[in-house]
Amino acid sequence: MTPRPAPPEVDRAAAGRAAIAARRARAAVKHSIASREKTALAAAQVGWAEPASAEAGLRVTELLTSVPTLGPTRVSRVMAELGISDKKRVGGLGHRQRIRLRDYLLRRQGAEPSRLLVLAGPTAVGKGTVSTYIRENHPDVMLSVSATTRAPRPGEIDGVHYYFVSDEEFDRQIADGELLEWAVVHNSYRYGTPRPPIDEALAAGKRVMLEIDIQGARLVRAAMPEALLVFLLPPTWDELVRRLVGRGTEQPEEQQRRLTTAGVELAAQDEFDAKVVNTEVGQAAREVVELMGAPAGASASR
Ligand code: 5GP
């Protein structure tokens, strides 16, 4: 066997410099948490959204020991309670571990883990079917009704499926700050989430779900970092293609455009707190509802 040649000197030097830069960047993150410039939760969320970031490379123990009021003994205990091993880095946490860490950090900040869940996913993955199932089988979950400038399809009811509004009315809602987020979807119509009903429902301890597109999910994260973002996945890519084409409501060029969009959308899945595979609608809906936790008042042991 021929020995592997040593990497050229220049590569090793470059790798060494990159490692030093990464260490410095991680130290800067720890410093910003220790000086209360940034919360540990905000840092973790950067790590989950950007796998190549310094935050993602930070060990969870380092993240937690940077919090001014957490000593090493407490951190070891918390890590054990959260079921996270000492070696784990923020970016390498599984989805359930992320949710447990996030809920723990939220509680430390004095906030109850949010009961606001955002369900997003690629075109034709079945978000609409899952949310209809939840509407019909879990009446205690409030489904947000979006405003849209598109026209109703047959069978759609104003105020149930959407609030169908004019462009002028949509402009007014934006200007009056009534929308939690809004976006142009599929390069055509505008869709937005009315904020007041959500605030009221959350204040009453209800669980709230938004079924929106991926850009919308990112905007909700920016506006309400405590929201839980769930990505709905197809069982396979082929199945997604079948569902997209099988819908038969669009022309071939439109289908191709939606497939391209779906590919780009699938790439966003790692920004989300949890993933649910939509193999069977009832099962997927149950998993989504479980991720919301118990309704307020029904969970003495939380
Ligand atoms: P459709 O016109 O087929 O009902 O919905 C098209 C897309 O708009 C879906 O991907 C749906 O998730 C998204 N959507 C629906 N309501 C909203 C909303 O309030 N905000 C955003 N950003 N997207 C939405």
Side-chain angles (χ1 to χ4, degrees):
M1 207 172 81
T2 37
R4 274 183 53 202
E9 200 57 43
V10 54
D11 280 3
R12 266 191 289 164
R17 277 197 303 276
I20 291 170
R23 249 198 322 273
R24 286 217 179 106
R26 290 199 296 274
V29 175
K30 288 194 274 183
H31 178 76
S32 65
I33 298 170
S35 61
R36 301 181 201 268
E37 214 175 285
K38 196 181 209 176
T39 66
L41 178 58
Q45 282 177 327
V46 172
W48 295 331
E50 296 163 32
S53 62
E55 285 83 348
L58 203 63
R59 288 192 201 279
V60 180
T61 40
E62 293 179 300
L63 176 87
L64 292 178
T65 39
S66 308
V67 175
T69 49
L70 282 181
T73 319
R74 209 39 210 297
V75 168
S76 308
R77 210 185 60 223
V78 170
M79 295 285 287
E81 279 169 14
L82 297 175
I84 299 175
S85 83
D86 289 353
K87 298 265 178 307
K88 274 278 178 192
R89 296 184 188 272
V90 171
L93 292 176
H95 284 97
R96 311 271 156 183
Q97 290 176 320
R98 289 183 190 191
I99 291 172
R100 289 199 296 271
L101 177 60
R102 173 182 161 281
D103 286 357
Y104 168 74
L105 292 171
L106 274 171
R107 286 210 178 86
R108 279 195 55 83
Q109 290 175 15
E112 259 305 293
S114 171
R115 297 171 201 289
L116 176 65
L117 182 142
V118 178
L119 184 68
T123 302
V125 72
K127 282 170 290 174
T129 324
V130 170
S131 61
T132 302
Y133 188 97
I134 293 174
R135 179 174 24 240
E136 287 167 1
N137 294 278
H138 299 273
D140 53 316
V141 173
M142 186 198 121
L143 249 66
S144 157
V145 179
S146 300
T148 179
T149 57
R150 84 154 163 77
R153 296 190 186 123
E156 284 183 334
I157 302 163
D158 187 41
V160 174
H161 298 97
Y162 284 104
Y163 294 107
F164 297 99
V165 301
S166 63
D167 268 313
E168 294 70 37
E169 170 59 13
F170 205 92
D171 287 339
R172 186 201 63 74
Q173 293 184 359
I174 296 172
D176 291 348
E178 286 179 13
L179 299 179
L180 172 60
E181 61 76 40
W182 70 271
V184 177
V185 179
H186 299 317
N187 297 323
S188 32
Y189 300 103
R190 290 184 292 174
Y191 295 78
T193 306
R195 180 156 192 160
I198 294 175
D199 287 341
E200 276 165 36
L202 289 176
K206 288 198 184 138
R207 301 180 294 178
V208 178
M209 189 179 108
L210 316 183
E211 182 248 296
I212 57 179
D213 81 330
I214 291 168
Q215 339 163 44
R218 292 191 179 115
L219 294 168
V220 173
R221 159 137 298 161
M224 295 174 112
E226 69 281 12
L228 186 72
L229 267 52
V230 178
F231 196 90
L232 195 64
L233 279 169
T236 60
W237 170 255
D238 286 350
E239 178 58 24
L240 183 65
V241 173
R242 209 182 57 72
R243 290 180 194 175
L244 195 55
V245 174
R247 212 151 62 168
T249 46
E250 289 92 19
Q251 297 300 310
E253 310 84 73
E254 174 60 15
Q255 283 176 0
Q256 190 48 50
R257 201 161 61 82
R258 288 195 170 204
L259 273 179
T260 309
T261 310
V264 173
E265 288 171 337
L266 270 179
Q269 56 183 279
D270 288 333
E271 294 172 34
F272 284 67
D273 298 311
K275 297 179 206 181
V276 169
V277 179
N278 185 18
T279 308
E280 195 275 308
V281 61
Q283 174 64 25
R286 264 190 303 283
E287 282 184 38
V288 170
V289 172
E290 272 168 24
L291 284 168
M292 271 187 256
S299 54
S301 65
R302 277 168 70 92

